[in-house]
Amino acid sequence: FGAGIESDAFLIAWTVPEMASTLLIEDAMALLLVPAFSHALARREAGRRITDPVGELVSATFPRLFALLTCAAGLLLIGAPLVVRVLAPGFGDLGLAVDCTRLTALTVLTFGVTGYFSAALRAHGSFLRPASVYVAYNAGIIATTLALHSVWGVRAAAAGVAFGSLLMVAVQLPAFARRTTLRPLVRRPRAKAPLLGAAVLAPVVLFAVGRQSQVLVERFLAAPLPAGAISHLNYAQKVAQMPMVLSLMVCTVTFPVVAKAMAEGDRDRARRRVEQDLAMAGATVLLGTALVVGYAPQIIEVLFQRGAFDARDTATTATVMRVYAAGLLGHCLVGALCRPFFSAGRATWFPAGAMAVGLAVTVVAGAVAVGTFGVNGIAAANAAGISTTALLLLCGLGSRGVAIQVRSVGGRIGRLTVAAAAATAAGLLAAPLTGGPLQSLAAGCLLTPAVFLLTARALRAPEAVHLLGLARRRLLHDH
């Protein structure tokens, strides 16, 4: 579909599943339910209760959640025209965007169920099924798009979103049923879930909404720009954020560990785990940032330059992606730091406040910059806003929740940032000298990590020493 009016219409509709995914799978649902299930499992292991605390939690929360999400999906289906007008005022093809929005409305329900199952399974130490949901989701989107695009156009991609979201539920249901009893779902709840009360729920939801609202601000500002602006922003953002997604896998796996340590009162173990996670996540995202900035045109050309996506689209998207990359460390730190704030399962408003300040920076900077710099100004505003939030969270965590050593963590990330700058410079110099885009990118995948690790090792960054030591031992073992 390229980067034009059709793809823009789909991406306006895709705002719904994007918001639902953030709220119901990755952020709000996980931040609420992983600690809740971890606390229930700790009580189960203590063995002091006749009834099963996990079963009580499920019976007290799931039926109500299912009913609420069903109503929300129905309202979205009916109110799709109003939603599109609010999200993208002045957009050129309102009818197409409304059709796509109605097709994606189902995800409000299915993503909620997916997020509930994922949180329960992660708290039980099961990560394969929660990780596989996006494989199922994307397989559903791709299969439906290939089968129906000649008949429905971009509406086929929206229908694929709905079908893929159903597959996300299906792949987790058997594992969820094995680990949590489903019988209490049809009984009257015996107990309330104190960790999911309004006082705990509100700050988590506001934080997640504020974080996702950066995308809403971008699309609102880009809607009046020439056709393709929303698409360029989306392609650049999604590719640039891959290093952030990879870096947060560490925190996703260890979040139940932190929550359980907090439930057991072992704050020192929680602190050590969080500090290690921040450093490893920072190393991963900074290495990825160096590759993204150094080889942006090659990455976009290899991935997208075909069909209706031409060389002009490649050049614009690559430039925007380099601007976005300035905020990747901020995105990573926000995703990593919010988890220890909410791991104790009690109300804390500081993350929502920090996110509100960052969002305000994004709105003001974007409104000022879009007239002069277009999509690049919007991307720069995103980077400035999320970096502001990350700085506030890093400074605030030292005296709240898990009391990390902020100066020590900051020093480790600082050394890694210098290493990333050296790797970026090497990539920018080498990228034009190495054949075609695929060959250049392949060489960059070797050059960038090598320069990053060697520079970090010279700066005595513990993460580089650890990774190089593992590689050396592996090579010696293989020989």
Side-chain angles (χ1 to χ4, degrees):
F1 300 108
I5 195 74
E6 278 197 308
S7 57
D8 284 355
F10 169 77
L11 290 170
I12 291 169
W14 200 31
T15 304
V16 173
E18 273 190 303
M19 178 69 80
S21 175
T22 299
L23 287 173
L24 302 175
I25 300 178
E26 297 305 328
D27 281 351
M29 190 75 78
L31 293 172
L32 285 166
L33 286 174
V34 170
F37 275 105
S38 296
H39 281 244
L41 285 168
R43 295 198 305 273
R44 174 195 276 177
E45 292 171 3
R48 293 191 293 268
R49 296 175 64 93
I50 299 175
T51 57
D52 179 17
V54 176
E56 288 183 346
L57 177 62
V58 172
S59 67
T61 56
F62 186 78
R64 298 173 187 176
L65 177 69
F66 190 89
L68 179 64
L69 294 174
T70 301
C71 292
L75 289 174
L76 179 59
L77 188 69
I78 296 169
L82 177 61
V83 171
V84 171
R85 288 190 182 96
V86 171
L87 289 177
F91 183 67
D93 195 337
L94 180 67
L96 181 58
V98 168
D99 289 346
C100 291
T101 301
R102 284 177 167 151
L103 286 166
T104 60
L106 178 66
T107 59
V108 174
L109 172 61
T110 50
F111 280 10
V113 176
T114 297
Y116 191 96
F117 288 177
S118 295
L121 292 173
R122 288 172 181 172
H124 281 80
S126 174
F127 296 96
L128 179 59
R129 293 302 179 94
S132 68
V133 296
Y134 291 109
V135 177
Y137 178 54
N138 286 298
I141 295 174
I142 293 168
T144 307
T145 303
L146 291 176
L148 300 176
H149 77 277
S150 60
V151 180
W152 286 2
V154 79
R155 292 176 180 86
V161 170
F163 177 60
S165 71
L166 289 170
L167 296 180
M168 296 172 86
V169 176
V171 298
Q172 290 192 112
L173 180 58
F176 177 80
R178 286 196 302 270
R179 288 168 174 80
T180 59
T181 175
L182 293 180
R183 291 181 60 189
L185 296 180
V186 296
R187 298 178 181 176
R188 185 177 182 85
R190 299 177 182 176
K192 294 181 180 180
L195 291 175
L196 299 180
V200 178
L201 178 66
V204 176
V205 171
L206 287 176
F207 169 80
V209 169
R211 187 178 178 190
Q212 186 60 25
S213 292
Q214 285 209 315
V215 176
L216 303 182
V217 171
E218 290 177 11
R219 290 179 186 165
F220 183 89
L221 293 173
L225 296 179
I230 294 175
S231 297
H232 293 140
L233 284 165
N234 177 77
Y235 287 128
Q237 184 190 63
K238 291 300 179 289
V239 177
Q241 286 189 352
M242 285 303 297
M244 183 268 291
V245 173
L246 290 171
S247 67
L248 289 180
M249 288 180 180
V250 175
C251 303
T252 298
V253 172
T254 59
F255 181 38
V257 177
V258 176
K260 192 171 182 181
M262 294 294 287
E264 295 171 350
D266 192 349
R267 293 182 177 273
D268 189 57
R269 178 159 62 97
R271 176 190 60 78
R272 292 196 306 271
R273 182 71 266 171
V274 170
E275 290 177 351
Q276 292 170 10
D277 289 351
L278 288 173
M280 288 305 299
T284 304
V285 77
L286 287 169
L287 173 57
T289 300
L291 184 64
V292 163
V293 175
Y295 293 86
Q298 290 80 6
I299 293 171
I300 299 300
E301 184 173 349
V302 169
L303 289 177
F304 298 128
Q305 192 171 312
R306 60 184 60 83
F309 197 100
D310 57 24
R312 183 186 64 84
D313 292 323
T314 294
T316 303
T317 304
T319 302
V320 175
M321 189 166 76
R322 280 174 166 159
V323 178
Y324 261 129
L328 283 182
L329 178 61
H331 279 287
C332 171
L333 291 178
V334 169
L337 288 166
C338 68
R339 288 167 166 81
F341 269 106
F342 296 118
S343 62
R346 62 173 180 266
T348 174
W349 287 94
F350 187 84
M355 194 68 247
V357 173
L359 184 62
V361 171
T362 299
V363 171
V364 174
V368 171
V370 66
T372 304
F373 301 103
V375 289
N376 292 319
I378 296 173
N382 178 294
I386 200 67
S387 298
T388 300
T389 299
L391 183 61
L392 291 173
L393 290 177
L394 183 61
C395 294
L397 187 60
S399 58
R400 298 170 179 85
V402 182
I404 64 169
Q405 297 175 358
V406 176
R407 183 173 296 181
S408 173
V409 172
R412 293 166 72 174
I413 293 177
R415 289 192 289 270
L416 294 169
T417 301
V418 174
T424 300
L428 289 171
L429 291 172
L433 307 177
T434 319
L438 185 59
Q439 295 87 342
S440 178
L441 183 57
C445 290
L446 298 175
L447 174 66
T448 303
V451 174
F452 178 83
L453 288 172
L454 290 175
T455 305
R457 176 67 179 84
L459 295 171
R460 298 183 180 179
E463 293 71 32
V465 174
H466 177 65
L467 290 173
L468 288 171
L470 285 176
R472 187 182 303 110
R473 287 194 296 272
R474 173 59 59 184
L475 289 171
L476 291 174
H477 176 74
D478 290 343
H479 288 81

